[in-house]
Amino acid sequence: VDTRLRPSGAQGPLAVSFGSFARYQNEQAWTWEHMALTRARPLFGPPPAQAELAGIIAGVLRKLRDPAQLKQDVLAMRAEIARHKPAEGPLDAKLARGGLVDVEFLVHYLQLREGVGLVPDLAAAIAALVGAGHLPEAINSAHTMMSRLLIAVRLLAPDAAIPPPAARAVLAKACGCRDWDAVVVGLTEARAAVRAAWAEVFGEKLEI
């Protein structure tokens, strides 16, 4: 946990009251902080306290927003990340455009805009948004494919470059693919699905 990322930086307390938390989230927090809050969940404490905290989080996430401002904030934040953290290599399923970061931005934007799928688990949120007609079905399989690839690449090709043949075979098996060519096709199709969803939701072309 990086305590420097708390609202008051290095100056504030490590823990705050529920009232202070609610005021900050409702009055001062930026859109990207609410995007992060979609993944929040109480982990420990008396059940009444956990319920109270969950209620505050739900209230913040479901509040009415200006759709145009929300879209502007989300796209600006994604562009900033793309400038400062480009993909490390051809197998970077996280940072490459059309990758997992773009899936997360799509999901969190729609969660805040529609108030649908407000659950911490990203796969469950995707399923809810697909079920409500806000995302295409293809995002489910794209997220699964790239999540498997991300984990395997961290173990077998940490530089996100194409690994040697033996490692490719292991990586393909980890991704549930019959061979390396199927991995390449699967990644290409997954990113294309994200690009199509991005164009539909945001009305802009995602360069891949």
Side-chain angles (χ1 to χ4, degrees):
V1 174
D2 189 343
T3 59
R4 295 170 299 178
L5 297 178
R6 61 192 188 274
S8 48
Q11 304 299 319
L14 291 175
V16 298
S17 68
F18 284 172
S20 294
F21 175 74
R23 281 192 298 275
Y24 176 79
Q25 292 295 337
N26 282 298
E27 299 172 9
Q28 301 178 45
W30 293 8
T31 296
W32 68 264
E33 293 177 276
H34 288 171
M35 292 171 67
L37 198 64
T38 62
R39 306 294 289 274
R41 63 212 183 276
L43 293 177
F44 180 79
Q50 292 196 41
E52 183 179 353
L53 178 57
I56 293 171
I57 293 171
V60 170
L61 296 180
R62 287 190 168 91
K63 73 177 187 176
L64 294 177
R65 301 169 191 273
D66 177 352
Q69 185 63 54
L70 175 63
K71 178 180 176 180
Q72 180 180 323
D73 290 348
V74 170
L75 291 177
M77 186 64 189
R78 181 61 185 107
E80 190 73 10
I81 292 175
R83 278 194 296 272
H84 292 283
K85 298 186 72 173
E88 294 182 1
L91 297 182
D92 192 339
K94 181 177 181 179
L95 292 173
R97 297 316 305 260
L100 289 170
V101 169
D102 287 321
V103 172
E104 292 177 2
F105 269 70
L106 277 167
V107 171
H108 298 329
Y109 167 70
L110 289 171
Q111 286 174 309
L112 295 177
R113 190 187 77 180
E114 304 294 336
V116 172
L118 292 170
V119 291
D121 180 78
L122 193 65
I126 290 172
L129 289 166
V130 169
H134 299 304
L135 280 175
E137 176 66 35
I139 294 297
N140 268 319
S141 55
H143 175 253
T144 299
M145 165 63 188
M146 291 191 290
S147 295
R148 289 177 176 173
L149 181 62
L150 177 68
I151 295 169
V153 164
R154 284 175 173 171
L155 295 172
L156 298 166
D159 57 356
I162 306 298
R168 292 180 207 172
V170 177
L171 198 152
K173 184 176 180 181
C175 292
C177 297
R178 65 181 182 277
D179 54 29
W180 177 250
D181 288 341
V183 173
V184 174
V185 171
L187 178 58
T188 301
E189 291 178 346
R191 294 176 67 194
V194 175
R195 178 175 57 184
W198 193 274
E200 181 179 340
V201 171
F202 290 118
E204 70 169 29
K205 185 177 181 180
L206 192 64
E207 295 295 337
I208 296 180

